[in-house]
């Protein structure tokens, strides 16, 4: 009988897979790989570190700050429907601040603290990135650009941001509040726990507008419209020149100390942001007028 019990105990002990929690590790011995990229063999990474190069438009370091950011499952408990979160969802700093971020992962899995939208002439990929696999800490430093802007910070591991791990960092007054920041802004797609079936509403289709045939009168009208259009473009040209004269001193200060390549990259980035902002405005405007309507699903 004792032999059977001993055999049973041995079988049970072999069938149970031991689970050992990882020890907390402070990643301080990082290998430099160029362009502010630091890495070690234990799952820690820093990308886009910048400790001494001033962004264009910054005459000096305005302030030196340090923050500690925690990431983990337990910080999502206060946000219904979330699974992961940072311990803080919003940060505020002066332009041209030298910021050191101490990123602490409190989970047994990999997490990141990534900041997007930085000037690409100084930060490769326009990004500052901290990463730790398992419980541990990693630190990195960057110098914030000038101007009022809101930057996205999030974890880029699949579904971690969608499940709550995101925030926003405002430089100066910030540009705007980003959507779907837990505890800060409303979700673009609100969670629905009612269990009610989704009912699609049909969008009415407007009848086609008849096109009048081209006549002599229409030709005269078209010529008049062409003249008006030319006058409008002339007015826009004058306005554009006036804006250029007004903004020239500000741009000269912003581009001070930058090379030709950096100036071109910055101008292209500003144009890209302007186009992006215009498209985002048009999308929001479109959603505002179509939010109560949806396209019906086809019958199976």
């Amino acid at each position: 009988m004792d032999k059977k019990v001993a055999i049973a105990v041995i079988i049970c002990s072999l069938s149970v897979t031991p689970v050992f929690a990882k020890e907390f590790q402070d990643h301080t011995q990082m290998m430099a790989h160029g362009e502010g990229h630091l890495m070690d063999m234990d799952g820690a990474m820093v990308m886009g570190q910048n400790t001494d190069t001033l962004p264009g438009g910054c005459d000096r370091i305005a302030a030196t700050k340090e923050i500690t950011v925690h990431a983990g499952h337990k910080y999502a408990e206060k946000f219904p429907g979330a699974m992961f979160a940072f311990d803080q969802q919003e940060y505020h700093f002066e332009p041209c601040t030298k910021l050191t971020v101490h990123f602490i992962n409190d989970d047994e899995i990999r997490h990141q603290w990534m900041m997007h939208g930085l000037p690409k002439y100084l930060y490769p990929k326009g990004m500052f990135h901290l990463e730790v696999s398992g419980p541990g800490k990693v630190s990195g430093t960057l110098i914030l650009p000038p101007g009022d802007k809101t930057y996205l910070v999030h974890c880029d591991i699949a579904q971690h941001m969608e499940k709550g791990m995101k925030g926003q960092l405002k430089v100066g007054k910030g540009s705007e509040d980003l959507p779907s920041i837990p505890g800060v802004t409303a979700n673009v797609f609100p969670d629905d726990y009612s269990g009610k079936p989704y009912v699609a509403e049909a969008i009415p289709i407007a009848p086609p507008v008849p096109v009048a045939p081209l006549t002599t009168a229409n030709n005269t009208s078209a010529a008049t419209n062409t003249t008006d259009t030319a006058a409008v473009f002339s007015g826009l040209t004058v306005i554009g020149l006036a804006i250029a004269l007004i903004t020239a001193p500000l741009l000269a200060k912003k581009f001070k100390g930058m090379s030709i390549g950096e100036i071109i990259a910055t101008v292209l980035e500003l144009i890209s942001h302007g186009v992006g902002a215009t498209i985002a405005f048009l999308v929001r405007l479109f959603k505002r007028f179509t939010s109560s309507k949806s396209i019906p699903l086809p019958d199976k």
Side-chain angles (χ1 to χ4, degrees):
M1 186 68 179
D2 293 337
K3 185 180 293 186
K4 292 181 180 180
V5 172
I7 294 174
V9 171
I10 293 173
I11 293 175
C12 290
S13 63
L14 293 176
S15 63
V16 176
T17 303
V19 177
F20 299 101
K22 296 181 180 179
E23 292 185 0
F24 183 90
Q25 186 171 359
D26 192 352
H27 299 270
T28 57
Q29 303 299 320
M30 309 284 284
M31 296 177 288
H33 294 271
E35 295 186 332
H37 186 180
L38 310 176
M39 191 174 180
D40 66 14
M41 299 300 292
D42 296 317
M45 185 184 301
V46 178
M47 295 179 65
Q49 173 158 268
N50 172 31
T51 60
D52 49 19
T53 304
L54 287 172
C58 292
D59 297 327
R60 59 182 179 81
I61 299 294
T64 301
K65 300 289 184 179
E66 294 188 24
I67 58 172
T68 299
V69 178
H70 287 263
H73 175 69
K74 63 183 178 181
Y75 304 109
E77 294 177 355
K78 58 183 177 181
F79 304 121
M83 182 173 290
F84 302 110
F86 299 123
D87 63 331
Q88 186 175 342
Q89 282 66 45
E90 192 170 38
Y91 314 87
H92 296 264
F93 297 101
E94 292 182 64
C96 305
T97 292
K98 183 176 182 179
L99 176 64
T100 297
V101 182
H102 304 291
F103 180 55
I104 298 177
N105 182 0
D106 292 324
D107 283 348
E108 297 287 334
I109 59 176
R110 183 161 58 116
H111 285 314
Q112 301 167 339
W113 193 86
M114 300 175 64
M115 182 175 173
H116 292 277
L118 295 166
K120 293 183 180 179
Y121 69 84
L122 187 57
Y123 296 94
K125 309 297 183 182
M127 176 182 65
F128 175 72
H129 173 117
L130 301 174
E131 178 177 320
V132 182
S133 294
K137 172 185 174 183
V138 68
S139 301
T141 301
L142 77 159
I143 301 176
L144 300 174
D148 299 320
K149 186 174 179 179
T150 303
Y151 294 88
L152 170 68
V153 292
H154 75 121
C155 179
D156 201 37
I157 304 299
Q159 297 300 313
H160 285 201
M161 180 178 73
E162 291 78 3
K163 290 297 184 181
M165 191 165 280
K166 65 185 296 189
Q168 62 183 16
L169 187 149
K170 289 187 174 182
V171 175
K173 297 179 181 178
S175 50
E176 61 180 349
D177 284 325
L178 302 178
S180 304
I181 302 297
V184 179
T185 55
N187 292 333
V188 174
F189 301 102
D191 294 327
D192 184 2
Y193 301 101
S194 65
K196 297 179 180 178
Y198 173 74
V199 179
E201 298 180 6
I203 298 178
I205 301 176
V209 179
V211 180
L214 187 63
T215 62
T216 304
N218 288 336
N219 290 337
T220 304
S221 177
T224 303
N225 290 336
T226 302
T227 304
D228 294 341
T229 302
V232 170
F233 276 112
S234 299
L236 291 176
T237 302
V238 173
I239 294 173
L241 290 173
I243 293 174
L245 291 174
I246 294 173
T247 58
L250 300 176
L251 293 177
K253 181 178 180 181
K254 181 178 181 62
F255 296 145
K256 180 180 178 182
M258 296 170 58
S259 65
I260 298 298
E262 292 174 343
I263 292 174
I264 294 175
T266 303
V267 170
L268 292 177
E269 186 175 2
L270 291 173
I271 294 173
S272 174
H273 286 318
V275 173
T278 302
I279 294 175
F281 172 75
L282 294 175
V283 169
R284 288 197 298 269
L285 192 63
F286 177 77
K287 287 182 177 180
R288 180 178 179 182
F289 289 102
T290 61
S291 59
S292 61
K293 302 173 182 178
S294 58
I295 300 175
L297 299 174
D299 296 332
K300 294 183 178 179

